[in-house]
Amino acid sequence: WEGGGDMAAGGAGDAEGLWSSGAGELILLGLAPSAPSCPHGPALLFVKTSQGKERGRRFYACSACRDRKDCNFFQWEDEKVSETRLAAREEYNRTHQPPFTHRQNVERYKSFVLLPLSKRRFCQECQRLLLPAEWEKHSDHQFLCDITSAQLQSPSQLLYPLENKKTNAQYLFADRSCQFLLDLITDLGFRRVLSVGTPRLHEVIQSKASQEDFRIRSLLLDIDFRYSQFYSEDEFCHYNMFNHHFFGGEAARETCRKFLCQDNGERVIMVTDPPFGGLVEALSSSFKKLMAMWKDTEKEGHNNQELPMLWIFPYFFESRILEFFPSFSMLDYQVDYDNHALYKHGKTGRRQSPVRIFTNLSPSMVVLPVEEGYRFCTVCQRYVSSGNQHCEICNSCTSKDGRRWKHCVLCKKCVKPSWFHCNNCNCCALQNHICEKTDAGCFVCGKAGHKRSTCPSLS
């Protein structure tokens, strides 16, 4: 993570280098009760350790942004902030809020849909639906004309995706993956979907809501406030999934709680697609709070149950996710995206999409499409990729990336097909790797046995 001085007044001096790369380990301590806030809600508490030294000084930083160009909030935990600086910070937070409230956007939308097609304009620079009285202010901007009802029902295609990988990397499901998720949700009998950071899935559900035989409802929780222009307060909540912050306050939180607890909490599932650069610890904390919100329903028997969930994330985060959610398992299904060059289905070898679905549903319940190259393993009792061959020694379909993995007798596990056993490292690795048996420890955490690129602290 990268950061810097305070955003409102007065830099934090030697705090500048805490986020940048260097020896030591950055540890998330969580959300403190009295945490200061930036425009993205309450800040998270961190500490950075140095190699072989005790823990360093604790500090607060923005929960949502990893790049200080996007939000450079910083404050030492033990720092005494002056009244002047607090006032400047509050003013900064206030002026960095959206120009309209959610309720105002809903009223604007009602006026917009009553306009004839020739008067419906969308400003591409401001990313805003325009009413005729506002045209003059945007006269030197690029805008789209004749906005149709179909476009209004597909805002993710009307809006520019937010593609800053360090902040909110907004990659949108391809039609194939979106339809698979909707079919899965329907086939398993769910009737409500809490869509956390999945705007395209939400809009597909919303667009079908008028069909008589379609019973599924969706509530979108997303940090992208632009969606408030298209959805009512019962359909969208402005939400930061890194600190469980509802920007709409208690009213928005209650909207989410009611949605989860309707029908005694039955037949509801949460689907989330977080930015892949996000801290798993912070995400897990927020997801557990959403789960707890669901558990608070009056229905008996929820005590030992978890809110059904689909968490979409790259397969190489499997160990981190299972650390926080031991009941989860990873499905072989490859999720692909419209606006990402690499995350595409159907490519071979290492170029296949690394994005998978982690879920607390039983894998045997999830049917993967045979026509896309998935098959059912009768031993594992789950659908797997066609290249994922069952290993008799491991007694499992072991491949994570879609290729056929091979079993190493010395490592006592299956490894990638391009890896070979290195007697010096006493483990499998790429043939031309640099052996890790060296006196120097990892550059990130100082510990021996791994390189910087594979340091567990990096995630």
Side-chain angles (χ1 to χ4, degrees):
W1 283 47
E2 299 171 359
D6 190 283
M7 63 188 174
D14 57 341
E16 181 77 27
L18 275 168
W19 294 102
S20 54
S21 61
E25 183 180 2
L26 192 66
I27 300 171
L28 171 65
L29 299 175
L31 190 62
S34 56
S37 290
C38 70
H40 304 95
L44 295 178
L45 186 61
F46 295 88
V47 65
K48 189 167 187 177
T49 62
S50 299
Q51 286 191 29
K53 293 184 182 177
E54 294 295 318
R55 286 192 176 186
R57 194 174 170 190
R58 298 180 176 198
F59 62 92
Y60 291 104
C62 176
S63 62
C65 302
R66 293 191 307 165
D67 194 324
R68 63 193 178 108
K69 294 192 199 96
D70 297 304
C71 183
N72 63 358
F73 181 88
F74 185 95
Q75 181 186 311
W76 294 113
E77 183 193 28
D78 56 4
E79 181 180 358
K80 288 196 166 131
V81 183
S82 68
E83 291 295 325
T84 305
R85 201 161 144 220
L86 278 174
R89 182 182 291 169
E90 284 179 18
E91 176 63 14
Y92 182 93
N93 291 349
R94 188 186 65 77
T95 57
H96 281 71
Q97 293 308 311
F100 298 105
T101 64
H102 192 169
R103 188 156 294 175
Q104 287 172 327
N105 273 339
V106 171
E107 293 304 316
R108 287 167 55 81
Y109 183 84
K110 288 177 183 175
S111 301
F112 189 88
V113 294
L114 293 175
L115 294 171
L117 201 62
S118 60
K119 292 196 173 182
R120 291 184 183 180
R121 292 188 181 181
F122 177 77
C123 179
Q124 289 182 294
E125 290 186 42
C126 300
Q127 293 286 282
R128 193 183 303 165
L129 297 172
L130 296 180
L131 298 175
E134 300 163 341
W135 289 359
E136 193 176 340
K137 286 183 183 176
H138 300 260
S139 59
D140 57 342
H141 293 180
Q142 293 286 323
F143 52 82
L144 298 173
C145 299
D146 304 336
I147 303 299
T148 64
S149 297
Q151 285 175 296
L152 293 174
Q153 287 184 348
S154 304
S156 70
Q157 297 181 31
L158 193 61
L159 300 167
Y160 286 138
L162 303 173
E163 292 187 345
N164 186 334
K165 293 182 181 67
K166 292 183 177 178
T167 308
N168 38 23
Q170 198 176 53
Y171 298 123
L172 302 165
F173 293 142
D175 289 343
R176 162 193 161 269
S177 292
C178 201
Q179 192 58 50
F180 167 77
L181 289 169
L182 184 56
D183 290 344
L184 174 63
I185 290 163
T186 306
D187 293 344
L188 293 177
F190 292 106
R191 290 292 175 263
R192 294 190 315 291
V193 182
L194 186 66
S195 304
V196 185
T198 58
R200 186 152 284 179
L201 177 64
H202 175 73
E203 73 184 32
V204 168
I205 293 172
Q206 292 295 108
S207 67
K208 293 176 180 285
S210 59
Q211 298 176 10
E212 277 189 35
D213 58 342
F214 192 79
R215 305 285 183 203
I216 298 175
R217 289 179 56 234
S218 173
L219 173 64
L220 175 64
L221 307 187
D222 204 292
I223 200 167
D224 188 351
F225 191 67
R226 296 177 302 172
Y227 284 104
S228 68
Q229 298 178 87
F230 305 91
Y231 300 122
S232 72
E233 290 167 293
D234 290 332
E235 297 167 337
F236 170 78
C237 292
H238 192 199
Y239 176 77
N240 181 349
M241 70 174 81
F242 292 104
N243 59 4
H244 188 57
H245 178 63
F246 287 87
F247 292 87
E250 197 52 45
R253 186 185 296 272
E254 182 62 14
T255 295
C256 180
R257 191 196 69 78
K258 280 185 177 176
F259 183 84
L260 286 172
C261 300
Q262 187 182 329
D263 298 331
N264 289 325
E266 291 293 332
R267 299 196 294 180
V268 59
I269 187 170
M270 174 176 154
V271 183
T272 183
D273 183 31
F276 301 152
L279 287 172
V280 173
E281 297 99 316
L283 293 168
S284 298
S285 175
S286 294
F287 297 161
K288 284 181 178 179
K289 286 172 183 173
L290 289 171
M291 286 177 153
M293 198 182 282
W294 170 80
K295 251 188 178 179
D296 287 341
T297 55
E298 295 176 3
K299 180 173 173 57
E300 295 179 7
H302 274 182
N303 293 337
N304 298 318
Q305 292 180 15
E306 285 182 334
L307 171 68
M309 183 170 157
L310 303 175
W311 179 345
I312 292 142
F313 226 50
Y315 71 80
F316 37 81
F317 283 100
E318 181 182 22
S319 61
R320 297 290 288 145
I321 291 175
L322 296 186
E323 182 182 334
F324 294 99
F325 293 102
S327 63
F328 279 34
S329 56
M330 187 180 81
L331 306 178
D332 271 25
Y333 184 81
Q334 293 182 19
V335 179
D336 60 335
Y337 297 80
D338 267 351
N339 59 326
H340 196 294
L342 297 179
Y343 296 174
K344 297 286 187 186
H345 175 73
K347 292 190 176 181
T348 56
R350 292 174 62 88
R351 292 199 171 273
Q352 296 181 89
S353 171
V355 187
R356 302 290 185 269
I357 299 172
F358 295 87
T359 183
N360 50 5
L361 299 173
S362 170
S364 61
M365 296 168 59
V366 182
V367 179
L368 303 186
V370 175
E371 65 274 13
E372 291 183 15
Y374 300 99
R375 62 177 183 82
F376 188 76
C377 176
T378 53
V379 183
C380 295
Q381 283 294 293
R382 69 181 181 99
Y383 277 84
V384 296
S385 171
S386 57
N388 190 1
Q389 297 299 309
H390 192 88
C391 175
E392 300 295 338
I393 304 170
C394 296
N395 195 29
S396 174
C397 293
T398 52
S399 172
K400 308 291 183 187
D401 61 9
R403 297 179 292 171
R404 182 172 185 171
W405 284 22
K406 60 185 182 182
H407 191 86
C408 175
V409 178
L410 297 173
C411 289
K412 296 181 180 177
K413 64 179 182 180
C414 286
V415 297
K416 293 180 179 180
S418 55
W419 286 16
F420 297 89
H421 195 85
C422 173
N423 292 324
N424 191 30
C425 297
N426 196 28
C427 67
C428 284
L430 286 169
Q431 197 161 22
N432 298 323
H433 74 287
I434 298 171
C435 288
E436 295 169 359
K437 283 226 169 173
T438 172
D439 294 334
C442 167
F443 182 70
V444 177
C445 70
K447 296 175 184 175
H450 61 267
K451 294 180 291 185
R452 180 183 186 281
S453 60
T454 57
C455 180
S457 302
L458 286 178
S459 62

